[in-house]
Amino acid sequence: MKYKRIDHTADLGIEVYGSGLRELFENAGYAMFDIITETNRLNALSETTLNITGEDWPDLMVNWLRELLYLWTGRGLLVKIADIVSISEYSLSANVKYEPYVPERHLIKSELKAVTYHQIRVEQKDTTWEAGIIFDV
């Protein structure tokens, strides 16, 4: 399981899972766009590289998802694949494959306004990693 929705008053929350940090951050990007649109209908037409830093793992997660959300809200791009190329202490580099939004072709399921710091967590649980993320809707 990559992620699941969690109940949260007036906002939308998810719990994300990964066997390591790379998979955790990839799954978080996937989860966000899976909430926004039908990701199985997207094509990876173009690619860009993102380099993100943070003060700690939770801050890196928020910065990562905010940058991905900006691709949608600021540039009208829907992300199909977010492939983490490298991740080290509080920084990551990723290749992001996307396609421009076409209203006649893409269904928008949910509008996310922001990624919040409210109850953000990124933690290791035995041999896996988990994150809790709240979106402002």
Side-chain angles (χ1 to χ4, degrees):
M1 178 168 57
K2 291 183 180 186
Y3 79 98
K4 71 176 181 178
R5 286 184 181 222
I6 55 175
D7 291 328
H8 193 274
T9 307
D11 290 324
L12 189 149
I14 58 172
E15 285 187 1
V16 182
Y17 311 97
S19 60
L21 283 167
R22 181 182 310 242
E23 186 175 86
L24 180 73
F25 279 77
E26 287 175 348
N27 288 348
Y30 168 81
M32 186 173 70
F33 274 92
D34 193 50
I35 289 166
I36 293 170
T37 191
E38 296 173 327
T39 53
N40 61 331
R41 297 193 61 200
L42 296 178
N43 296 307
L45 300 176
S46 300
E47 184 174 329
T48 191
T49 300
L50 300 178
N51 296 298
I52 312 295
T53 61
E55 297 293 318
D56 53 24
W57 293 123
D59 188 49
L60 181 62
M61 180 65 77
V62 170
N63 291 344
W64 164 241
L65 294 176
R66 283 181 172 172
E67 192 68 26
L68 289 176
L69 186 58
Y70 171 75
L71 292 176
W72 164 234
T73 60
R75 297 184 50 204
L77 306 174
L78 294 169
V79 173
K80 171 75 173 178
I81 298 166
D83 180 30
I84 305 295
V85 176
S86 67
I87 189 164
S88 58
E89 191 167 336
Y90 317 141
S91 68
L92 66 79
S93 179
N95 290 330
V96 177
K97 298 178 182 171
Y98 60 88
E99 106 177 70
Y101 172 62
V102 177
E104 299 79 26
R105 182 169 140 54
H106 301 114
L107 170 68
I108 301 304
K109 300 187 296 186
S110 297
E111 281 290 347
L112 302 181
K113 293 181 193 173
V115 182
T116 73
Y117 281 99
H118 181 66
Q119 297 178 341
I120 185 72
R121 66 179 175 78
V122 176
E123 56 195 9
Q124 189 169 14
K125 299 269 186 151
D126 296 320
T127 61
T128 62
W129 284 80
E130 293 182 8
I133 304 152
I134 305 295
F135 299 102
D136 183 15
V137 292

